């Protein structure tokens, strides 16, 4: 009889991803993972000290999955580069609802006592810089517009994940484009009245 396949961290993380996508992260526990892998719970605790350690590593793994989703969207969707993040975010909420809830509602690592705290989160400063270059607005103005656009898109995505709204991609693109134009125009008008 051949020896059983060795259970690896990657196998466990992919299994947790499958369970989360199918039924939600609340259904993830040592038994559900072992059941899917057709093994005892022992290999899980050989790879991880406890379920908290597994969850921490899984959140990073799931975020990487989201990043790959955004990259695929960037390559396959025919939208302006500065619309990729908000539109892929909304579509991710629609297509990967349980993962979206885990990453961007339940376990979102963002503490915004003030709006400027948005830029304490990893990568947001870099994204705002890229956004600034894409829309042709100086970085300080772009940071304000980028945050406003994120909050608007997050609202749509949360409503989408909660099944309170269903937008096709064309409608979502039109809404996000319209609000972005309004944010840029509003910012320009404020700058003119101050100058």
């Amino acid at each position: 009889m051949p020896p059983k396949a060795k259970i690896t961290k990657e196998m466990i993380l992919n299994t947790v991803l499958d369970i989360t996508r199918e039924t939600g992260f609340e259904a993830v526990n040592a038994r559900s993972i072992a059941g899917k892998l057709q093994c005892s719970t022992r290999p899980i605790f050989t790879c991880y000290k406890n379920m908290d350690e597994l969850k921490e590593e899984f959140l990073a793994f799931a975020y990487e999955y989201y990043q790959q989703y955004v990259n695929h969207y960037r390559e396959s969707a025919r939208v302006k580069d500065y619309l990729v993040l908000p539109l892929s975010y909304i579509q991710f909420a629609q297509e990967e609802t349980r993962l979206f809830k885990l990453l961007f509602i339940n376990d979102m690592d963002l503490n915004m006592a003030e709006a400027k705290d948005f830029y304490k989160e990893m990568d947001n400063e870099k994204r705002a810089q890229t956004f600034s270059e894409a829309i042709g607005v100086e970085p300080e103005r772009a940071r304000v517009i980028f945050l406003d656009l994120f909050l608007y898109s997050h609202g749509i995505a949360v409503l989408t994940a909660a099944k309170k709204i269903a937008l096709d991609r064309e409608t979502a693109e039109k809404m996000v484009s319209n609000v972005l134009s309004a944010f840029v125009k509003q910012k320009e008008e404020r700058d003119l009245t101050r100058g």
Side-chain angles (χ1 to χ4, degrees):
M1 187 148 108
K4 283 197 169 195
K6 182 177 173 4
I7 304 296
T8 64
K9 280 188 170 189
E10 186 176 354
M11 291 167 70
I12 294 169
L13 292 171
N14 279 312
T15 300
V16 173
L17 181 67
D18 291 343
I19 294 169
T20 302
R21 292 174 75 202
E22 291 165 13
T23 55
F25 190 74
E26 333 46 71
V28 172
N29 57 49
R31 283 196 181 132
S32 65
I33 298 167
K36 273 241 188 227
L37 288 171
Q38 298 180 338
C39 67
S40 71
T41 60
R42 187 175 201 175
I44 297 161
F45 294 111
T46 300
C47 292
Y48 295 98
K49 286 187 291 192
N50 54 43
M51 290 303 289
D52 288 337
E53 182 184 42
L54 171 56
K55 180 181 181 181
E56 187 177 321
E57 194 165 316
F58 175 69
L59 287 173
F61 182 82
Y63 189 74
E64 179 59 35
Y65 178 87
Y66 165 70
Q67 293 286 79
Q68 290 172 7
Y69 183 94
V70 173
N71 290 336
H72 176 73
Y73 187 93
R74 178 177 280 112
E75 293 166 6
S76 63
R78 291 189 171 101
V79 297
K80 293 180 173 112
D81 201 41
Y82 53 83
L83 294 177
V84 168
L85 283 177
L87 294 177
S88 63
Y89 191 71
I90 293 166
Q91 188 168 312
F92 187 76
Q94 185 173 20
E95 292 179 359
E96 296 286 356
T97 302
R98 291 180 177 100
L99 268 178
F100 177 85
K101 286 178 178 179
L102 174 68
L103 291 171
F104 302 113
I105 298 176
N106 302 341
D107 278 290
M108 186 177 208
D109 188 23
L110 179 62
N111 296 310
M112 285 181 53
E114 299 177 39
K116 66 181 181 178
D117 293 341
F118 177 73
Y119 288 102
K120 290 180 183 175
E121 185 181 325
M122 183 174 62
D123 293 335
N124 282 345
E125 192 69 50
K126 188 173 122 188
R127 288 180 183 133
Q129 180 62 41
T130 302
F131 179 75
S132 168
E133 293 162 7
I135 66 170
V137 173
E138 76 271 353
E140 247 344 276
R141 265 181 55 204
R143 288 174 94 237
V144 173
I145 295 167
F146 185 73
L147 173 58
D148 289 346
L149 187 61
F150 164 75
L151 294 172
Y152 179 77
S153 302
H154 183 68
I156 293 172
V158 169
L159 290 169
T160 299
K163 307 292 185 225
K164 301 294 182 188
I165 190 172
L167 303 174
D168 59 49
R169 197 181 108 199
E170 187 177 303
T171 304
E173 183 177 350
K174 187 174 184 179
M175 289 172 67
V176 171
S177 294
N178 287 345
V179 83
L180 175 58
S181 295
F183 287 156
V184 170
K185 185 176 181 185
Q186 180 185 39
K187 190 75 177 106
E188 287 171 352
E189 288 171 357
R190 275 194 211 143
D191 290 347
L192 285 175
T193 58
R194 287 182 189 155

